[in-house]
Short mmCIF file of all heavy atoms in Angstrom, two decimals:
data_model
loop_
_atom_site.label_atom_id
_atom_site.label_comp_id
_atom_site.label_asym_id
_atom_site.label_seq_id
_atom_site.Cartn_x
_atom_site.Cartn_y
_atom_site.Cartn_z
N TRP A 141 -11.72 -56.64 18.91
CA TRP A 141 -10.57 -56.86 19.78
C TRP A 141 -10.37 -55.60 20.60
O TRP A 141 -9.86 -55.64 21.81
CB TRP A 141 -9.32 -57.06 18.96
CG TRP A 141 -9.45 -58.36 18.15
CD1 TRP A 141 -9.91 -58.50 16.92
CD2 TRP A 141 -9.07 -59.73 18.60
NE1 TRP A 141 -9.83 -59.81 16.49
CE2 TRP A 141 -9.35 -60.58 17.49
CE3 TRP A 141 -8.56 -60.14 19.75
CZ2 TRP A 141 -9.13 -61.97 17.61
CZ3 TRP A 141 -8.28 -61.56 19.89
CH2 TRP A 141 -8.63 -62.42 18.81
N VAL A 285 -6.34 -62.25 13.23
CA VAL A 285 -5.80 -61.67 14.42
C VAL A 285 -5.52 -62.80 15.41
O VAL A 285 -6.26 -63.79 15.54
CB VAL A 285 -6.74 -60.64 15.08
CG1 VAL A 285 -6.11 -59.98 16.36
CG2 VAL A 285 -7.07 -59.53 14.03
N GLU A 286 -4.37 -62.59 16.09
CA GLU A 286 -3.96 -63.61 17.15
C GLU A 286 -4.68 -63.43 18.43
O GLU A 286 -4.80 -62.34 18.95
CB GLU A 286 -2.49 -63.35 17.40
CG GLU A 286 -1.83 -64.15 18.48
CD GLU A 286 -0.52 -63.64 18.92
OE1 GLU A 286 -0.06 -62.56 18.43
OE2 GLU A 286 0.19 -64.31 19.74
N CYS A 287 -5.27 -64.54 18.97
CA CYS A 287 -6.04 -64.46 20.23
C CYS A 287 -5.07 -64.62 21.38
O CYS A 287 -3.88 -64.80 21.23
CB CYS A 287 -7.12 -65.50 20.25
SG CYS A 287 -6.54 -67.20 20.44
N GLU A 288 -5.68 -64.71 22.59
CA GLU A 288 -4.88 -64.80 23.86
C GLU A 288 -4.12 -66.14 23.83
O GLU A 288 -3.16 -66.33 24.55
CB GLU A 288 -5.79 -64.76 25.02
CG GLU A 288 -6.63 -63.45 25.14
CD GLU A 288 -7.79 -63.32 24.15
OE1 GLU A 288 -8.11 -64.35 23.47
OE2 GLU A 288 -8.42 -62.26 24.05
N GLN A 289 -4.55 -67.13 23.12
CA GLN A 289 -3.85 -68.40 23.02
C GLN A 289 -2.74 -68.45 22.02
O GLN A 289 -2.08 -69.45 21.85
CB GLN A 289 -4.85 -69.56 22.61
CG GLN A 289 -6.13 -69.63 23.45
CD GLN A 289 -5.89 -70.12 24.84
OE1 GLN A 289 -5.05 -71.00 24.99
NE2 GLN A 289 -6.53 -69.58 25.84
N GLY A 290 -2.60 -67.28 21.33
CA GLY A 290 -1.48 -67.25 20.32
C GLY A 290 -1.90 -67.90 19.00
O GLY A 290 -1.09 -68.18 18.17
N HIS A 291 -3.21 -68.01 18.74
CA HIS A 291 -3.78 -68.55 17.51
C HIS A 291 -4.33 -67.46 16.65
O HIS A 291 -5.03 -66.60 17.04
CB HIS A 291 -4.88 -69.64 17.82
CG HIS A 291 -4.48 -70.75 18.70
ND1 HIS A 291 -5.40 -71.36 19.57
CD2 HIS A 291 -3.26 -71.30 19.00
CE1 HIS A 291 -4.71 -72.30 20.23
NE2 HIS A 291 -3.42 -72.25 19.90
N LEU A 292 -4.02 -67.62 15.34
CA LEU A 292 -4.60 -66.70 14.38
C LEU A 292 -5.98 -67.09 13.96
O LEU A 292 -6.17 -68.29 13.66
CB LEU A 292 -3.70 -66.60 13.07
CG LEU A 292 -2.27 -66.07 13.34
CD1 LEU A 292 -1.41 -66.33 12.22
CD2 LEU A 292 -2.34 -64.53 13.56
N HIS A 293 -6.98 -66.19 14.06
CA HIS A 293 -8.36 -66.62 13.87
C HIS A 293 -8.89 -66.11 12.57
O HIS A 293 -8.64 -64.91 12.15
CB HIS A 293 -9.24 -66.07 14.93
CG HIS A 293 -9.32 -66.93 16.17
ND1 HIS A 293 -10.24 -67.89 16.34
CD2 HIS A 293 -8.48 -67.03 17.25
CE1 HIS A 293 -10.01 -68.55 17.50
NE2 HIS A 293 -8.94 -68.06 18.06
N ASP A 347 -13.11 -74.66 17.93
CA ASP A 347 -12.82 -75.13 19.25
C ASP A 347 -11.64 -74.53 19.97
O ASP A 347 -11.03 -75.16 20.88
CB ASP A 347 -12.74 -76.69 19.30
CG ASP A 347 -11.61 -77.20 18.35
OD1 ASP A 347 -10.92 -76.35 17.75
OD2 ASP A 347 -11.46 -78.44 18.18
N CYS A 348 -11.20 -73.32 19.62
CA CYS A 348 -10.18 -72.69 20.25
C CYS A 348 -10.62 -72.40 21.74
O CYS A 348 -11.69 -71.99 21.95
CB CYS A 348 -9.77 -71.38 19.61
SG CYS A 348 -8.33 -70.58 20.44
N PRO A 349 -9.73 -72.61 22.74
CA PRO A 349 -10.05 -72.33 24.16
C PRO A 349 -10.53 -70.90 24.39
O PRO A 349 -11.12 -70.60 25.39
CB PRO A 349 -8.82 -72.67 24.90
CG PRO A 349 -8.00 -73.60 24.03
CD PRO A 349 -8.44 -73.25 22.61
N CYS A 350 -10.21 -69.97 23.50
CA CYS A 350 -10.58 -68.59 23.71
C CYS A 350 -12.02 -68.35 23.43
O CYS A 350 -12.60 -67.33 23.81
CB CYS A 350 -9.73 -67.62 22.79
SG CYS A 350 -10.27 -67.58 21.06
N GLY A 351 -12.69 -69.40 22.83
CA GLY A 351 -14.12 -69.30 22.60
C GLY A 351 -14.60 -68.79 21.21
O GLY A 351 -15.78 -68.84 20.89
N ARG A 352 -13.60 -68.22 20.47
CA ARG A 352 -14.03 -67.81 19.18
C ARG A 352 -14.21 -68.89 18.18
O ARG A 352 -13.44 -69.91 18.21
CB ARG A 352 -12.94 -66.74 18.57
CG ARG A 352 -12.92 -65.51 19.39
CD ARG A 352 -11.67 -64.64 18.90
NE ARG A 352 -11.66 -63.48 19.80
CZ ARG A 352 -10.95 -63.43 20.96
NH1 ARG A 352 -10.35 -64.50 21.37
NH2 ARG A 352 -10.98 -62.35 21.68
N LYS A 353 -15.21 -68.78 17.34
CA LYS A 353 -15.47 -69.85 16.29
C LYS A 353 -14.58 -69.59 15.04
O LYS A 353 -13.97 -68.56 14.88
CB LYS A 353 -16.95 -69.85 15.90
CG LYS A 353 -17.81 -70.08 17.11
CD LYS A 353 -17.80 -71.58 17.59
CE LYS A 353 -18.96 -71.82 18.55
NZ LYS A 353 -18.46 -72.67 19.62
N TYR A 356 -8.62 -71.79 13.10
CA TYR A 356 -7.46 -71.04 13.62
C TYR A 356 -6.23 -71.78 13.20
O TYR A 356 -6.21 -72.99 13.07
CB TYR A 356 -7.63 -70.83 15.12
CG TYR A 356 -7.89 -71.95 16.00
CD1 TYR A 356 -6.81 -72.64 16.60
CD2 TYR A 356 -9.15 -72.53 16.13
CE1 TYR A 356 -7.05 -73.71 17.47
CE2 TYR A 356 -9.36 -73.68 16.92
CZ TYR A 356 -8.30 -74.26 17.56
OH TYR A 356 -8.52 -75.41 18.43
ZN1 LIG B 433 -8.39 -68.42 20.03
#
Side-chain angles (χ1 to χ4, degrees):
W141 299 89
V285 181
E286 174 197 6
C287 73
E288 301 76 9
Q289 306 289 325
H291 302 152
L292 296 165
H293 275 267
D347 58 2
C348 182
C350 77
R352 292 175 186 85
K353 301 287 191 220
Y356 55 99

